[in-house]
Amino acid sequence: MRTTQPLLRSGLTLAAAAALPLALAVPADAQTGISVSTTGSTVTVTTSACPTMNASGSFGQASLLASGQSSFAQGRQALLSGTSDLQSAAWANVSPGTYTVIVTCQNGTTAGTQSVIVSARPTISATATPTRRVSPSPSPSPSPTRGVMGGLGGATKEYGTLTLVGGGVLVVSGLGATIWYLRRRAKPHRL
């Protein structure tokens, strides 16, 4: 009795299941073109998705929505300023809570949407990190301007398509090697 077909089917199913998260991850990274951070009660958003400036000198607008607010117009709005390489906006004196930041470029396209939590506790200064303690700086260094990064697990790096494809190849080849090993192991040894 041969079991090639069920093993082949299960191998293809495993490969498809491994490739599914990779296919779903690409649009998610493409949609989050903004980075949101907090320092104390100040929320800052940065992006490079709005390189064109309008006649009034703004690259677009950002809106800070509190819970219960659902549209861009309901939030606290701020103009994006900066350069064609990097644009930013900030809100000061933000009360503790969970907020959503939406950035819209001057041409009307949405650069991204991201949630951020503003905590009631003050942020820890950069002098408490090990890298600051070893530096030979004689004067105390100022607090970081970017603060804690919001988002999924505080992740700040967006991986490109090549990295995701490389990871997918590694997963699929690992599954293939596992299936090959298990098939060889299941065959009876001939003398």
Side-chain angles (χ1 to χ4, degrees):
M1 180 173 157
R2 293 188 61 114
T3 58
T4 305
Q5 288 296 333
L7 280 176
L8 181 63
R9 263 188 245 135
S10 65
L12 291 174
T13 304
L14 286 173
L20 183 62
L22 293 173
L24 295 176
V26 172
D29 282 343
Q31 193 175 21
T32 56
I34 65 172
S35 175
V36 181
S37 62
T38 62
T39 303
S41 64
T42 301
V43 176
T44 305
V45 61
T46 57
T47 185
S48 58
C50 303
T52 310
M53 186 186 314
N54 63 15
S56 65
S58 172
F59 291 92
Q61 287 188 334
S63 184
L64 181 71
L65 282 71
S67 59
Q69 296 177 329
S70 58
S71 72
F72 188 90
Q74 290 177 330
R76 287 175 56 182
Q77 296 179 13
L79 294 176
L80 286 176
S81 60
T83 65
S84 59
D85 294 329
L86 187 66
Q87 307 83 43
S88 65
W91 298 270
N93 300 322
V94 178
S95 301
T98 302
Y99 296 88
T100 302
V101 176
I102 302 173
V103 175
T104 303
C105 298
Q106 61 87 18
N107 63 1
T109 61
T110 301
T113 302
Q114 190 172 339
S115 295
V116 65
I117 298 173
V118 178
S119 63
R121 295 183 290 185
T123 57
I124 299 172
S125 69
T127 55
T129 61
T131 55
R132 292 291 182 190
R133 277 188 260 141
V134 237
S135 69
S137 176
S139 62
S141 58
S143 295
T145 57
R146 295 195 62 192
V148 177
M149 299 301 292
L152 297 174
T156 60
K157 181 157 177 86
E158 294 183 19
Y159 294 101
T161 305
L162 184 61
T163 305
L164 293 174
V165 168
V169 167
L170 286 174
V171 168
V172 169
S173 62
L175 287 172
T178 303
I179 292 169
W180 175 81
Y181 176 76
L182 292 174
R183 286 191 62 202
R184 278 192 54 90
R185 193 171 173 210
K187 288 183 182 178
H189 295 292
R190 296 182 187 155
L191 295 174

